[in-house]
Amino acid sequence: IFQTLQLYVMSNEQTTRYMAAAPKGELQEKYMFAWRTRDNTRVENINEFAKQVLNIPRAHELVSEYMILSEEQSSKVLMVLHPYQIHAIEAIFEAASKHQSGYIWHATGSGKTITSFVSTKLLAQRSGIDRTIMLLDRKDLDNQTTSEFTKFASAYSTGVNTNDNTLIVGTGNTKALSRALKLDSSSNVVIVTTRQKLNKAIESLNMDDIKKVFPKSTWFGFTGTPIFEENKKSSDGQYARTTHDQYGEVLHRYTIKNALEDGSVLGFQVEHESTIHKDELANVVY
């Protein structure tokens, strides 16, 4: 009967973790997550955990909306989102309902690709939303990010219907993107493309700004390194605007400090190497 379960909760009353069900022999500690509130306070007590996570409808949402299948070595593995990913997605929902843009500040390496994919996919299913576009900046995508995205959206270069009637459409070129933008909005379309392709597509419309093509659009950015007033200009003057200027208010934070506490990212290894041989220290004048 336990093979029908999707979620495990483990606790000794004072320390509580949750994780997605896994095949026999594949339960790993690194996939056991502590719950955090939206302001990143950890919840360890089992009674408080049950109050916040196992209530209805939260428990239903956890297994129906915040669990995904990942392709791992030709097999499908069930994954559940971290709490900070869930809070970020819900913050996006709240902002979208008010037609307000914003950005998510999550530490580098904490899973922003998954967060952005799930939030985009769920937004496509909401009434009143005609189009959802997952816009990637290929120049900033390394092999790891591309690999992660492929696991969660196998239709990166083609179109496929998922089991929840969401059509995920990849765009191999500008013409494919133009066709995707013309698809019936009632089909819960998620368009996956790059900023470069979208810019090229709007150039054919004699437009110089993506937001002019989508005047009623709402934008959400995902970053691990937001640009503030004090660091908005690099040595070559690359940055002219802050992240706030581009997207609006920060909707959720999960900083490197939080990520290190959870073990979501690798820690820092700091070593000190002296550049002066100890035999020479006696000759140093202070």
Side-chain angles (χ1 to χ4, degrees):
I1 190 171
F2 288 100
Q3 291 181 350
T4 66
L5 297 180
Q6 288 182 244
L7 189 74
Y8 293 156
V9 177
M10 298 143 286
S11 178
N12 62 0
E13 293 189 6
Q14 298 307 314
T15 301
T16 305
R17 299 291 184 269
Y18 73 97
M19 71 178 299
K24 183 179 179 181
E26 295 186 15
L27 291 175
Q28 299 183 45
E29 185 178 355
K30 65 180 180 179
Y31 296 125
M32 299 178 184
F33 306 148
W35 185 258
R36 285 181 180 267
T37 61
R38 183 173 287 196
D39 64 358
N40 289 314
T41 301
R42 288 183 69 148
V43 177
E44 297 283 11
N45 180 271
I46 183 60
N47 294 321
E48 187 61 29
F49 178 91
K51 180 180 178 182
Q52 294 192 28
V53 185
L54 301 181
N55 65 79
I56 305 301
R58 166 63 78 190
H60 289 169
E61 293 170 345
L62 198 59
V63 298
S64 64
E65 296 188 348
Y66 301 127
M67 300 189 78
I68 59 176
L69 283 175
S70 172
E71 295 287 344
E72 299 283 349
Q73 298 180 348
S74 302
S75 63
K76 293 183 178 180
V77 178
L78 196 62
M79 298 180 65
V80 62
L81 298 190
H82 291 263
Y84 59 84
Q85 294 174 305
I86 296 172
H87 294 315
I89 293 170
E90 292 178 342
I92 288 174
F93 290 165
E94 293 172 6
S97 67
K98 303 173 185 177
H99 300 288
Q100 295 177 350
S101 300
Y103 70 96
I104 302 299
W105 177 8
H106 282 184
T108 300
S110 59
K112 289 186 292 298
T113 300
I114 302 176
T115 309
S116 59
F117 174 70
V118 175
S119 59
T120 303
K121 182 170 170 287
L122 292 176
L123 279 172
Q125 302 169 16
R126 299 214 158 196
S127 61
I129 297 178
D130 295 329
R131 287 283 186 280
T132 53
I133 301 175
M134 187 171 181
L135 195 60
L136 308 175
D137 190 335
R138 186 173 296 277
K139 292 180 179 179
D140 293 335
L141 287 179
D142 56 18
N143 292 333
Q144 179 181 356
T145 304
T146 304
S147 175
E148 285 182 0
F149 181 78
T150 303
K151 294 177 185 177
F152 310 114
S154 58
Y156 182 68
S157 59
T158 184
V160 64
N161 278 299
T162 63
N163 57 8
D164 54 15
N165 296 321
T166 301
L167 181 65
I168 301 175
V169 180
T171 55
N173 52 50
T174 304
K175 290 183 178 179
L177 173 57
S178 298
R179 289 194 299 269
L181 291 171
K182 295 176 183 178
L183 287 172
D184 182 8
S185 61
S186 63
S187 59
N188 294 337
V189 177
V190 173
I191 297 172
V192 180
T193 190
T194 63
R195 178 180 59 81
Q196 290 80 5
K197 288 175 186 173
L198 189 55
N199 281 332
K200 189 173 181 179
I202 67 172
E203 285 177 3
S204 63
L205 301 175
N206 296 320
M207 304 290 277
D208 58 358
D209 189 344
I210 294 175
K211 292 186 178 181
K212 291 180 181 178
V213 181
F214 306 106
K216 296 182 180 180
S217 59
T218 305
W219 294 74
F220 300 104
F222 294 82
T223 181
T225 53
I227 301 170
F228 301 108
E229 286 291 337
E230 57 269 27
N231 67 325
K232 71 176 182 178
K233 288 185 179 180
S234 60
S235 57
D236 58 0
Q238 180 181 0
Y239 302 122
R241 293 188 296 172
T242 66
T243 304
H244 181 276
D245 292 336
Q246 292 179 296
Y247 294 103
E249 298 295 333
V250 57
L251 301 177
H252 188 259
R253 291 181 177 88
Y254 182 75
T255 64
I256 187 66
K257 176 179 180 293
N258 306 134
L260 288 173
E261 290 174 352
D262 288 339
S264 300
V265 299
L266 294 176
F268 298 101
Q269 181 176 351
V270 180
E271 295 182 357
H272 173 73
E273 295 290 342
S274 176
T275 59
I276 302 176
H277 193 277
K278 57 182 177 182
D279 294 337
E280 299 174 336
L281 290 178
N283 299 323
V284 175
V285 178
Y286 294 95

